[in-house]
Amino acid sequence: MRNLYNRSVIFYRLKNGQPPFSPYGKTLYIIDAPGTVQTQVRVGYHLPPTTDTQLECQALSGWLGRSFSGRLYYDLREQRGLTYGIYGRCFDNPLARVLKFYGSTQLQHSGAFIRGILDHLELAQTSMATPQEVDALNTYFQSQFDLLHDNKSQRLQRYIQLIVKQRSWQEFTQQQTALAHLDANQLNDMAKQVFSQPPVIVLRGDLAKISVDLQRKLPDWNIKTVTME
């Protein structure tokens, strides 16, 4: 299954001439909000709307950003205390698919928090998930699917979403089965495919208080102020 997955991803991207999404390079986009006591952080990747990237989007958001049981939460919250919470989500809309990790941190931890997220995105490409991580992730996806079957309203909502996206229930169940049987090699391959290019990073915080720290912790990233006007 893993070799088939790799070949299909490479074939699609070569056929369609679509390199990984990296339109902005290493740029931190900051919405300046003077007086705020926290920095809100959004780290995201835009993915082409294919079956393969749909699997990648769901798997990576679950592996790294699965609330209190994801890798990011365990390190950045439980071990280092840089945030109250960090989460991952796959926004799978009909015309756009976005993998996003998001959370907030205190002003003095802004640079370390972002640096920690980026380090984990790099680590996911070089370090295999442990058997315990894989088992927990598989159980998480299987439990989601089981709960969906037990909830009539959720089944109806999912069915409507599939119609909008022009997908069948069979395709959906096949994907859920794949998610519930992921292995460490697949996760590592997905991370290499998605995280090999710089993400889009948007912050909202007090620029005057966090810019020096950002420059120290992320010296190879440019800072650009975004206005909401």
Side-chain angles (χ1 to χ4, degrees):
M1 179 183 292
R2 184 166 69 93
N3 290 334
L4 177 62
Y5 162 80
N6 289 337
R7 289 197 298 270
S8 61
V9 170
I10 294 172
F11 173 77
Y12 174 85
R13 291 176 179 173
L14 289 178
K15 177 182 177 182
N16 292 275
Q18 289 189 349
F21 181 77
S22 57
Y24 309 122
K26 292 186 174 182
T27 302
L28 301 175
Y29 292 90
I30 302 180
I31 301 172
D32 189 16
T36 55
V37 297
Q38 288 188 334
T39 300
Q40 298 176 352
V41 179
R42 303 292 184 265
V43 177
Y45 291 87
H46 182 277
L47 305 178
T50 67
T51 301
D52 298 310
T53 62
Q54 188 174 52
L55 191 66
E56 292 173 346
C57 193
Q58 295 286 351
L60 294 175
S61 66
W63 178 26
L64 301 183
R66 196 175 65 257
S67 187
F68 60 86
S69 56
R71 180 179 282 196
L72 288 172
Y73 189 99
Y74 176 75
D75 179 32
L76 301 180
R77 155 75 181 194
E78 298 292 341
Q79 298 297 308
R80 291 197 269 172
L82 297 178
T83 180
Y84 284 113
I86 178 167
Y87 312 96
R89 184 177 173 186
C90 177
F91 293 86
D92 191 12
N93 299 313
L95 299 179
R97 180 171 297 147
V98 175
L99 170 61
K100 184 170 78 172
F101 301 100
Y102 56 96
S104 298
T105 188
Q106 293 181 336
L107 298 179
Q108 65 268 29
H109 298 321
S110 299
F113 184 54
I114 299 170
R115 182 75 268 168
I117 297 173
L118 293 174
D119 287 345
H120 273 286
L121 298 181
E122 294 178 6
L123 184 64
Q125 302 173 60
T126 58
S127 177
M128 293 289 185
T130 66
Q132 293 81 5
E133 280 185 291
V134 175
D135 288 343
L137 185 63
N138 291 340
T139 300
Y140 167 75
F141 283 121
Q142 184 61 56
S143 298
Q144 276 193 327
F145 195 40
D146 292 342
L147 290 172
L148 176 65
H149 275 286
D150 289 337
N151 190 307
K152 182 178 179 179
S153 63
Q154 286 190 18
R155 291 199 308 273
L156 177 60
Q157 182 180 11
R158 178 65 66 175
Y159 180 68
I160 294 172
Q161 291 173 348
L162 291 174
I163 292 176
V164 172
K165 297 173 184 177
Q166 297 182 334
R167 296 180 60 217
S168 67
W169 184 262
Q170 182 181 10
E171 289 175 316
F172 171 68
T173 56
Q174 288 174 345
Q175 176 178 303
Q176 290 302 124
T177 300
L179 289 170
H181 293 84
L182 290 166
D183 60 41
N185 288 319
Q186 285 177 292
L187 290 171
N188 184 246
D189 289 340
M190 291 175 180
K192 291 177 181 178
Q193 292 285 357
V194 176
F195 299 149
S196 60
Q197 298 294 323
V200 178
I201 302 180
V202 180
L203 318 177
R204 182 182 183 276
D206 192 327
L207 179 60
K209 296 181 179 178
I210 66 176
S211 60
V212 173
D213 182 56
L214 292 175
Q215 291 168 354
R216 288 175 178 171
K217 300 294 196 312
L218 303 156
D220 53 339
W221 284 72
N222 298 317
I223 295 178
K224 183 174 182 179
T225 305
V226 178
T227 62
M228 301 302 293
E229 298 178 355

